[in-house]
Amino acid sequence: MPAEKSLPLYRGRFAPSPTGPLHFGSLLAAVGSFLEARSRGGEWLVRMEDLDLPRVVPGAADGILRTLEAFGLHWDGPVLAQSARDEAYRAALAELEKLGAVYPCACTRKEIADSALGGIDGPVYPGTCRGGLPAGRSARAVRLRTDSGVVEFDDGLQGRVGQNLAAEVGDFVIRRADGLFAYQLAVVVDDAEQAVTHVVRGADLLDSTPRQITLQRLLGLPTPAYLHLPVAVNERGEKLSKQTLAPAVSAGDPADALFAVLMFLGQTPPPESRDAGIESLWEWALTHWRADRLPARRAIALSAES
Ligand code: GLU
């Protein structure tokens, strides 16, 4: 008889989008999710979120993986690439169609912008195509029908989060007008495929979590535990991202960058560990990692000199 394959108690993941090199903001999510997983004897997977093809930068995925390796962020198992997962997303969409949970939408971005109220993540779709496509119009995107119930969850750092999806986000896109599946659907299908038990990522995704939980419930998939780390912002309050041209982290001096990440995450590495090399810094971090020291904030501004 084949041995029973038991699921690990903790399986975390890091899911970068290859739209540029790894920068300080994404390194925070990598290190935070890695240390949470490893300090609990868990697995840590990497998933390449190369779904948004127009934004993918050639060579960036390889660059990110090489930087992770240079930092000693070694992952378990193969890297799952979203670009190879179309069939799974298609099956999930078919399931949602069968449930009557989605509908085709003919509206253009401009039409929506002209008639919608602002929500927490762009305009709240006014529901124009909810009851069917207007005469003479053809489908562009596919949207999920939200209802007015409040979706609640306990975040491991940010506490209890509640969101009225219909009012705050509105019927959201599952398949885009350009035919690509939306991040919200892909992330849910893939976290389930990879049997992820714990999601640790930046708090810029906190507002996306109720959409993901809603999809998990509709698709009959388990909801992982969530912990959203503060994101690093500049003095203008903008997230350090590829869009704000955050500098790539240098793999040339990984101990220095790791030290900065640990400080940002509220850990207290001894000053001398900064110069002791990346391996001893990891050793310190793995034995001293304390999630209860993480700052329970959504964003922290980095001063120019840090
Ligand atoms: N790919 C997303 C990003 O780079 C992260 C998605 C996630 O962790 O759920 O921002």
Side-chain angles (χ1 to χ4, degrees):
M1 241 175 56
E4 280 257 347
K5 233 177 100 188
S6 62
L7 281 175
L9 294 176
Y10 192 111
R11 182 179 277 163
R13 50 68 157 184
F14 174 54
S17 303
T19 52
L22 199 73
H23 54 85
F24 186 77
S26 38
L27 187 63
L28 284 175
V31 170
S33 59
F34 179 84
L35 284 171
E36 259 299 272
R38 294 297 192 224
S39 65
R40 298 202 204 182
E43 295 179 1
W44 186 70
L45 313 182
V46 170
R47 177 168 73 239
M48 202 47 76
E49 301 215 316
D50 54 355
L51 183 74
D52 194 349
L53 291 172
R55 290 184 54 223
V56 166
V57 171
D62 277 350
I64 289 172
L65 295 178
R66 264 183 283 129
T67 307
L68 292 177
E69 276 168 348
F71 270 83
L73 287 154
H74 302 299
W75 57 89
D76 294 304
V79 174
L80 186 71
Q82 290 192 322
S83 52
R85 301 267 303 144
D86 226 56
E87 217 164 288
Y89 308 144
R90 214 175 289 277
L93 175 59
E95 185 77 27
L96 294 171
E97 279 166 349
K98 220 164 63 195
L99 295 168
V102 290
Y103 62 88
C105 172
C107 298
T108 61
R109 217 178 259 268
K110 172 149 182 9
E111 285 168 332
I112 297 169
D114 286 349
S115 58
L117 294 173
I120 52 170
D121 195 10
V124 175
Y125 182 63
T128 321
C129 298
R130 240 183 177 227
L133 290 174
R137 298 288 303 266
S138 47
R140 292 165 50 82
V142 175
R143 286 181 186 275
L144 189 100
R145 209 180 285 283
T146 54
D147 63 42
S148 57
V150 174
V151 182
E152 288 184 296
F153 70 100
D154 285 307
D155 186 82
L157 182 60
Q158 310 288 341
R160 191 139 186 93
V161 176
Q163 191 183 79
N164 181 324
L165 261 189
E168 295 177 61
V169 178
D171 293 353
F172 58 92
V173 171
I174 293 290
R175 188 176 195 162
R176 303 174 0 178
D178 60 8
L180 294 175
F181 288 99
Y183 155 72
Q184 307 291 354
L185 180 73
V187 72
V188 161
V189 171
D190 290 343
D191 280 336
E193 165 70 21
Q194 294 188 292
V196 168
T197 61
H198 292 72
V199 171
V200 176
R201 60 185 178 188
D204 51 318
L205 293 165
L206 192 63
D207 288 335
S208 286
T209 308
R211 271 169 275 182
Q212 295 170 19
I213 292 174
T214 300
L215 285 168
Q216 287 152 2
R217 289 178 182 162
L218 285 164
L219 294 167
L221 302 172
T223 291
Y226 288 98
L227 188 156
H228 286 86
L229 301 168
V231 293
V233 294
N234 63 21
E235 276 130 349
R236 287 189 301 276
E238 298 160 340
K239 187 190 158 201
L240 292 191
S241 67
K242 292 130 197 169
Q243 286 76 33
T244 56
L245 301 177
V249 288
S250 152
D253 194 358
D256 209 49
L258 178 58
F259 189 90
V261 164
L262 291 170
M263 295 292 287
F264 183 94
L265 294 175
Q267 312 299 303
T268 52
E272 61 277 13
S273 67
R274 188 180 198 142
D275 305 315
I278 187 81
E279 267 164 41
S280 54
L281 190 51
W282 273 127
E283 225 173 273
W284 181 90
L286 283 162
T287 44
H288 294 86
W289 172 253
R290 288 195 33 197
D292 63 347
R293 286 192 193 272
L294 288 168
R297 293 167 56 187
R298 284 194 185 210
I300 296 177
L302 285 180
S303 55
E305 66 273 16
S306 53

